[in-house]
Amino acid sequence: MEIKEDKDLTQYNTFGVGATARFFSEINSLDTLKEIIKKNQVDGNEFLTLGGGSNVLFTKNTDAWVLKNELKGVRKIKEDSENVWIEAFGGEDWHSFVLYTLENGYYGLENLSLIPGSVGACPIQNIGAYGVEVKDFISDVYTIDLSNSEEEVFTNSQCDFGYRNSIFKNELKGRVFIYKVVFKLNKSPNLNVAYRALNEELEKQGINNPEPIDISKAVIAVRSSKLPDPKEIGNSGSFFKNPEITKEIFEKLKLNFPDIPNYPGANGLIKLAAGWLIDRAGWKGYRDGDVGVHKKQALVLVNYGKGSGKEVYDLSERIILDIKNKFGITLAREVNVI
Ligand SMILES: Cc1cc2nc3c(=O)[nH]c(=O)nc-3n(C[C@H](O)[C@H](O)[C@H](O)COP(=O)(O)OP(=O)(O)OC[C@H]3O[C@@H](n4cnc5c(N)ncnc54)[C@H](O)[C@@H]3O)c2cc1C
């Protein structure tokens, strides 16, 4: 077990903001993880599990013991005539895993191509894009309790999946380490091309009868044209969640904003596009020093280089306040603020 102290985390978060971890260890095996947990039963530090760091915002140095998930391995564990069950360890890169499934003829994850981060983090906020959520393909999530090393398996229904949400983002936040996920994928394609941007891209490429790999390529093209690459501009993708409101509130809003985009949400609620609200409030392209709101995508807050996590956070507070004043809606952050 190697423990680094006061480890600089700038390279470990896609915002590229500076912060240090009091302790830092790479988790390459379950034995290492269990050894660390045992040692910590005496030391009593808080743990912070880190995958690709693409959904965290460090606003200060952390006293936590950062556990960088490097557990690797992917294999088929079972199949029947229609489905195949693939287990993937948490430290695997998400996009590489998606490509592996497509190359092997296991379908379902194509719309989730190019989402940054690790397999271990995918259940946490139930990653989603272009009309698909990962919850529809997760069979089981394998965890280790960070207080006593006990292993527990959560079946899909025990994960309490919702829009950018799960039990791991709530009751179990910071309490368990997700070390493995089992996915149930399709042997025959069942494509989801309902999303307009995806359709347009396929048309542009002249593809009439797409295969799953074509969907993946179209998703990659659309994402690359719309979202800033964290290697070039620090960001964590969508900074805020799309708000869900009641029909009554929506009807009132519509009186003042007849063109407000809206979509069906969960439990009869109406989902609004947070990016539209932020754009409409005039924030798109806003820059303050080295932090700002992306030029093309109002939902994405960015660090142009030397910005700090605290500056990004303060900007997000100002946006939340402004949206509340202008639309009466309170935006919630999607990113995990540390
Ligand atoms: C350019 C860009 C585009 C994005 N687009 C999308 C998108 O389309 N859809 C979408 O849903 N998300 C998107 N995201 C957000 C992000 O990619 C996902 O949330 C991803 O799943 C985060 O994975 P990660 O490994 O980087 O997690 P991290 O950022 O390392 O961690 C996120 C949270 O999960 C916890 N955590 C991480 N791994 C584990 C584990 N193994 N066990 C327990 N807890 C853990 C961390 O403590 C933290 O609270 C985007 C991000 C970027 C930068």
Side-chain angles (χ1 to χ4, degrees), residues 12 14 48-56 69 90-91 94 112 114-130 146 164 168 173-174 176-179 223 227-230 235-238 300 334 336 338:
Y12 292 88
T14 59
L48 173 67
T49 305
L50 211 52
S54 62
N55 206 14
V56 287
N69 191 350
W94 173 257
L112 304 178
L114 211 62
I115 296 181
S118 60
V119 165
C122 82
I124 293 173
Q125 73 158 7
N126 176 25
I127 56 170
Y130 301 99
L146 288 167
R164 298 295 181 275
F168 309 109
K173 189 174 172 122
V176 298
F177 183 105
I178 295 174
Y179 73 91
R223 291 185 71 97
L227 288 168
D229 181 349
N235 76 90
S236 71
S238 305
V300 178
E334 182 181 307
N336 297 278
I338 315 278

Side-chain angles (χ1 to χ4, degrees), residues 27-302:
I27 306 301
N28 298 301
S29 73
L30 286 182
D31 285 346
T32 306
L33 178 60
K34 288 178 181 173
E35 221 183 305
I36 287 173
I37 293 172
K38 196 166 170 200
K39 175 168 165 41
N40 201 48
Q41 281 172 333
V42 181
D43 299 354
N45 295 292
E46 201 186 309
F47 282 125
L48 173 67
T49 305
L50 211 52
S54 62
N55 206 14
V56 287
L57 177 66
F58 290 105
T59 55
K60 55 182 185 311
N61 295 336
T62 173
D63 285 332
W65 189 338
V66 168
L67 307 173
K68 171 77 174 81
N69 191 350
E70 292 292 350
L71 296 175
K72 304 284 182 194
V74 177
R75 71 182 178 113
K76 178 165 80 180
I77 52 171
K78 168 170 109 166
E79 68 183 301
D80 62 19
S81 57
E82 288 175 14
N83 298 106
V84 56
W85 282 257
I86 308 290
E87 72 167 22
F89 279 82
E92 289 286 342
D93 172 66
W94 173 257
H95 178 59
S96 309
F97 172 66
V98 172
L99 293 182
Y100 158 88
T101 62
L102 295 175
E103 278 157 18
N104 285 280
Y106 314 143
Y107 306 127
L109 303 179
E110 48 277 0
N111 293 47
L112 304 178
S113 297
L114 211 62
I115 296 181
S118 60
V119 165
C122 82
I124 293 173
Q125 73 158 7
N126 176 25
I127 56 170
Y130 301 99
V132 172
E133 289 182 325
V134 77
K135 73 173 171 54
D136 295 332
F137 301 96
I138 287 180
S139 170
D140 305 285
V141 177
Y142 286 69
T143 65
I144 291 202
D145 189 316
L146 288 167
S147 68
N148 57 17
S149 285
E150 266 178 30
E151 298 189 25
E152 196 171 347
V153 186
F154 291 79
T155 60
N156 183 296
S157 60
Q158 290 172 322
C159 293
D160 285 349
F161 286 124
Y163 163 63
R164 298 295 181 275
N165 214 351
S166 74
I167 193 169
F168 309 109
K169 215 175 168 178
N170 294 291
E171 295 98 293
L172 297 181
K173 189 174 172 122
R175 290 177 48 196
V176 298
F177 183 105
I178 295 174
Y179 73 91
K180 188 168 82 176
V181 182
V182 174
F183 298 86
K184 182 183 173 190
L185 303 174
N186 301 322
K187 285 184 167 176
S188 309
N190 182 10
L191 303 182
N192 184 329
V193 286
Y195 216 86
R196 202 180 55 184
L198 210 51
N199 252 309
E200 287 171 358
E201 180 60 32
L202 289 166
E203 251 174 54
K204 199 170 105 189
Q205 295 184 10
I207 298 172
N208 298 320
N209 296 308
E211 297 286 323
I213 193 68
D214 300 319
I215 304 288
S216 171
K217 284 181 183 159
V219 166
I220 291 171
V222 175
R223 291 185 71 97
S224 306
S225 71
K226 280 192 175 169
L227 288 168
D229 181 349
K231 287 192 197 97
E232 286 158 22
I233 306 177
N235 76 90
S236 71
S238 305
F239 194 91
F240 301 101
K241 291 205 225 185
N242 288 323
E244 293 186 310
I245 58 173
T246 61
K247 213 166 179 316
E248 293 71 45
I249 296 176
F250 174 69
E251 292 304 336
K252 282 188 201 149
L253 254 180
K254 226 178 139 188
L255 295 176
N256 289 330
F257 306 97
D259 56 338
I260 189 165
N262 60 96
Y263 313 90
N267 308 318
L269 294 173
I270 306 229
K271 192 186 274 185
L272 303 179
W276 185 89
L277 299 172
I278 297 167
D279 188 0
R280 185 65 180 252
W283 287 96
K284 192 149 129 187
Y286 173 86
R287 181 165 178 168
D288 182 6
D290 247 7
V291 303
V293 180
H294 192 250
K295 288 197 284 280
K296 289 193 203 162
Q297 180 50 270
L299 201 46
V300 178
L301 301 195
V302 293

